[in-house]
Amino acid sequence: ISYSNRGQYCTTIVVLSDTEQSFSVAPWGQSNRPDSPHYADQADRLFSREQFKPTWYTKEALLQNLESKKTLTVEMNDER
């Protein structure tokens, strides 16, 4: 049984015999932006039903399960 009443909190289960097999759930969602579809999506769909979602630890597994992708670039300035 997990309880949370404020702040970020996440329960993760990792099957040690196979690190590719892991699951997590956050009581609210993964975003702190109220306009995001992930603001409270895990509350109703997973946490309140005591269910978990799969998680991915290898780059290959993660890339196969992307919902979206953003590329960030950093420009370095030689002036200091």
Side-chain angles (χ1 to χ4, degrees):
I1 298 175
S2 296
Y3 298 98
S4 175
N5 65 0
R6 65 178 62 92
Q8 282 292 2
Y9 168 77
C10 178
T11 300
T12 303
I13 298 172
V14 178
V15 179
L16 296 176
S17 63
D18 181 1
T19 56
E20 294 262 349
Q21 190 176 3
S22 60
F23 309 90
S24 71
V25 64
W28 319 114
Q30 290 297 321
S31 177
N32 64 350
R33 291 182 12 235
D35 62 330
S36 169
H38 300 295
Y39 181 69
D41 59 339
Q42 293 187 43
D44 292 331
R45 288 189 234 155
L46 299 171
F47 192 76
S48 64
R49 298 175 187 179
E50 297 180 356
Q51 296 178 345
F52 288 77
K53 62 177 177 53
T55 57
W56 304 280
Y57 284 100
T58 66
K59 182 178 181 179
E60 295 78 18
L62 180 63
L63 290 174
Q64 291 175 2
N65 292 283
L66 290 179
E67 178 180 301
S68 64
K69 180 179 177 180
K70 289 185 180 181
T71 302
L72 304 177
T73 58
V74 178
E75 292 184 25
M76 301 297 290
N77 186 343
D78 288 337
E79 297 177 25
R80 293 182 190 193

